[in-house]
Amino acid sequence: MNQTFLREAIRLSLKKMEAGEGGPFGAVIVRDGQIVGRGWNKVTSTNDPTAHAEIVAIRDACRRLGTFSLAGCEIYTSCEPCPMCFAAIYWSRLERIYYAATCEDATAVGFEDAPFFHQFTLPPDRRSIQMSQDLRQEACEAFAAWQRKVDRVVY
């Protein structure tokens, strides 16, 4: 672990929080020892609940690198990623996560990470947001069309 990169994520979390841009979260994405993406929490300043530090850093790195795959990169984040960010890290193909504070630390100061983690362990019919399914066959037709598409870009 390179503590310099982790300290940069923590520095971003504090600096941008004090500037009123959002909560105390920061992240950097590194490839070959160089920062290729930076992010900090922008939820309240952009009215975007998905603008977590990790998501912002992923978007920045992908834009800078001109790719949707961050294979070969690592993420350093000031706090253990929430379920949304954790999933985005997998989707972006980041290879390693380094973090400082824990989910429990975030929960202790009022962030709701722990209950969200718990929701994923429940079957769909027991989750706090009601889920309903319909039109499965119609939706699967789009999947079949995707499989037939010769020029599809797999991700």
Side-chain angles (χ1 to χ4, degrees), residues 16-131:
K16 298 300 184 173
M17 181 267 303
E18 288 175 342
E21 293 193 32
F25 302 94
V28 296
I29 295 177
V30 175
R31 182 173 73 178
D32 298 327
Q34 299 295 314
I35 294 176
V36 296
R38 285 183 167 78
W40 52 90
N41 186 282
K42 297 182 178 183
V43 170
T44 57
S45 62
T46 62
N47 294 320
D48 179 355
T50 69
H52 289 200
E54 296 90 340
I55 303 291
V56 173
I58 288 168
R59 291 174 181 160
D60 185 45
C62 288
R63 181 186 52 78
R64 287 181 189 213
L65 298 173
T67 183
F68 57 83
S69 174
L70 297 176
C73 298
E74 303 170 329
I75 189 165
Y76 291 78
T77 182
S78 64
C79 187
E80 181 179 4
C82 75
M84 175 184 68
C85 295
F86 192 60
I89 288 165
Y90 271 94
W91 276 111
S92 64
R93 308 298 193 253
L94 285 161
E95 295 185 1
R96 188 161 187 150
I97 302 167
Y98 297 99
Y99 65 96
T102 67
C103 167
E104 291 79 14
D105 297 327
T107 299
V109 296
F111 292 96
E112 299 180 301
D113 296 32
F116 294 155
F117 275 107
H118 176 68
Q119 287 296 308
F120 289 103
T121 67
L122 300 173
D125 63 341
R126 293 196 45 224
R127 294 181 183 151
S128 63
I129 296 176
Q130 188 176 22
M131 296 177 70

